[in-house]
């Protein structure tokens, strides 16, 4: 069952201007260490950050909160599996909100897709609740440190 859907469109040039103006202060406030390492290795640094900004906005909408109610930017992080597929890792209040909205006997799966076409970056997030094969089993989580 679908628990939430969110989308966001972000202007890459706006992110570049913010990076130019605030630099590390902006990076450290909004992006996880994993996201920063990924972006700084890429040719299109601003585009990489813009896609992750859009993913955080989309995720907060899918959680039904927007960026309010205690959610922090760094509570939502985009990592990549070895295949390159992006995954959302939730911590802090975002993880608490996800747990609260997940029905008993289900696990929450956060799907994310990212795209860009300069000057735009876009993300979609769908939060799905899947019945646990064994209701006594613990929910599956993605550890962003493993990717």
């Amino acid at each position: 069952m679908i628990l939430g859907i969110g989308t966001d469109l972000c202007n890459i040039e706006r992110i570049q201007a913010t990076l130019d103006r605030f630099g590390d202060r902006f990076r450290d406030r909004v992006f996880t260490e994993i996201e920063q390492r990924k972006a700084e290795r890429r040719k299109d640094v601003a585009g990489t950050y813009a896609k992750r900004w859009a993913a955080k906005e989309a995720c907060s909408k899918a959680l039904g909160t927007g960026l309010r109610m205690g959610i922090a930017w760094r509570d939502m992080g985009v990592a990549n599996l070895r295949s390159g597929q992006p995954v959302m890792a939730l911590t802090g209040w975002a993880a608490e909100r996800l747990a609260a909205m997940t029905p008993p006997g289900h696990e929450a799966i956060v799907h994310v897709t990212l795209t860009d076409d300069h000057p735009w970056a876009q993300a979609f997030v769908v939060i799905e609740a899947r019945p646990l094969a064994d209701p006594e089993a613990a929910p599956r989580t993605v550890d962003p440190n493993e990717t």
Side-chain angles (χ1 to χ4, degrees), residues 114-126:
L114 309 172
T115 191
D116 65 293
D117 187 6
H118 195 85
W120 301 106
Q122 186 173 30
F124 286 95
V125 171
V126 175

Side-chain angles (χ1 to χ4, degrees), residues 7-20 26-27 30-32 35-36 38-40 42-59 61 67 73 76-78 86 88 112-125:
T7 185
D8 192 66
L9 184 65
C10 178
N11 186 286
I12 296 169
E13 293 169 358
R14 184 178 131 230
I15 295 296
Q16 182 63 63
T18 303
L19 287 166
D20 293 344
F26 171 64
R27 281 183 199 87
V30 175
F31 300 101
T32 66
E35 291 172 315
Q36 290 181 44
K38 174 87 170 178
E40 297 301 325
R42 305 293 295 271
K43 181 178 178 182
D44 183 11
V45 173
T48 302
Y49 279 126
K51 286 185 280 191
R52 279 142 184 80
W53 172 281
K56 292 166 188 281
E57 288 273 7
C59 186
K61 293 170 186 174
L67 287 163
W73 287 104
M76 302 166 289
V78 177
M88 290 295 302
V112 61
T113 186
L114 309 172
T115 191
D116 65 293
D117 187 6
H118 195 85
W120 301 106
Q122 186 173 30
F124 286 95
V125 171

